[in-house]
Amino acid sequence: MPLVSTGDLVAHAAAERAAVAAFNIITLEHAEAVVAGAEATGSPVVLQISENAVKYRHGRVLPLARAAAAAAEAAAVPVGLHLDHVKSRDLLHRAADAGFGSVMYDAAHLPYEENLAATRAAAAWAHANGLWIEAELGEVGGKDGAPALDAHAPGARTDPDEARRFVEASGVDALAVAVGSTHAMTTRTASLDHDLLARLAAGLDVPLVLHGSSGLPDEELAAAVAGGITKVNIGTALNLAMTDAIRAYLTAHPSAVDSRKYLSEGRAAMVRTAAELITALRAGVSAEAVRL
Ligand code: G3H
Ligand code: ZN
């Protein structure tokens, strides 16, 4: 199946009041596992590579992007390729040539006017180069090891009126909203501000994106989808699954040497996690249908 555009996957999900899962990948095993998990559920999926994952590869974007694109092309389900949490303009400008169909430009750490100016320029570039673009307003905490933001800290939640103005003035195709999730959580104990999510969904014409989704239990993921989230970003959950499985294998086999032995355990654990989380998102579609 050819690589498809994230924008098309999100538009399709929005039309069905569903959500597409977007998983952050770091290694080829992540990409293979996400594709296999999506195939197991018969769902489309997005493979995301973050700026931090590019930094891990010493700034080289092509090795993992090309591997992910090849995994996508071999998939039995539609797969999008997305460049995530980009702050560097240089990296943004390499996105199209590297095979990405979409990008998330992250200037959420900047004051409103600066975020808007930088995002507007990024959106103009993205559209001129055929890319779908997501940006963030309000700030989802926990990025780069930073602590979770206090719910009442300025910018820790997305203001609906400001978000409407931001989307209109920047021209972005989707908006990542801060509604209570936090990046890099290793427990699934977060809960969302559903009232705020409802106001954002009612007031905005673009798809809403949830970041930091690893910290949400299944019911909250389903409720997020029922409440209008159409792209759900998940990263840490894969790393937890992979690392736990590898640790267990190496503990049980202390003299293991062949890296395929433990990497295959890690990859299989990520397949299960990806499939389980995609299934949890689908429950949100049924909940909405029942409510209607
Ligand atoms: O953009 C990536 C996601 O927000 C991942 O967050 O690692 O907390 O699941 P997570
Ligand atoms: Zn994120």
Side-chain angles (χ1 to χ4, degrees), residues 49-199:
I49 299 174
S50 70
E51 182 168 300
N52 282 339
V54 174
K55 282 184 186 154
Y56 167 69
R57 300 204 173 276
H58 310 293
R60 294 188 189 98
V61 67
L62 288 181
L64 188 57
R66 285 189 176 158
E73 278 154 17
V77 292
V79 181
L81 186 58
H82 177 84
L83 188 58
D84 195 32
H85 281 294
V86 175
K87 289 184 178 161
S88 148
R89 217 167 324 154
D90 170 62
L91 179 59
L92 172 72
H93 291 174
R94 286 191 274 151
D97 287 346
F100 294 95
S102 59
V103 62
M104 185 266 190
Y105 186 71
D106 186 355
H109 54 289
L110 298 174
Y112 178 84
E113 289 300 338
E114 290 173 47
N115 182 359
L116 175 58
T119 302
R120 188 195 282 133
W125 183 88
H127 291 153
N129 287 275
L131 294 174
W132 182 92
I133 183 168
E134 168 194 335
E136 180 173 321
L137 183 70
E139 190 158 22
V140 181
K143 292 174 192 169
D144 296 328
L149 293 171
D150 180 273
H152 303 292
R157 293 287 187 270
T158 306
D159 176 75
D161 293 327
E162 201 172 63
R164 219 178 359 253
R165 291 198 299 275
F166 183 84
V167 166
E168 210 177 288
S170 64
V172 293
D173 301 303
L175 190 69
V177 290
V179 290
S181 58
T182 296
H183 286 95
M185 283 183 68
T186 53
T187 57
R188 299 182 70 191
T189 50
S191 54
L192 298 177
D193 182 338
H194 295 285
D195 177 60
L196 174 58
L197 176 57
R199 288 190 289 133

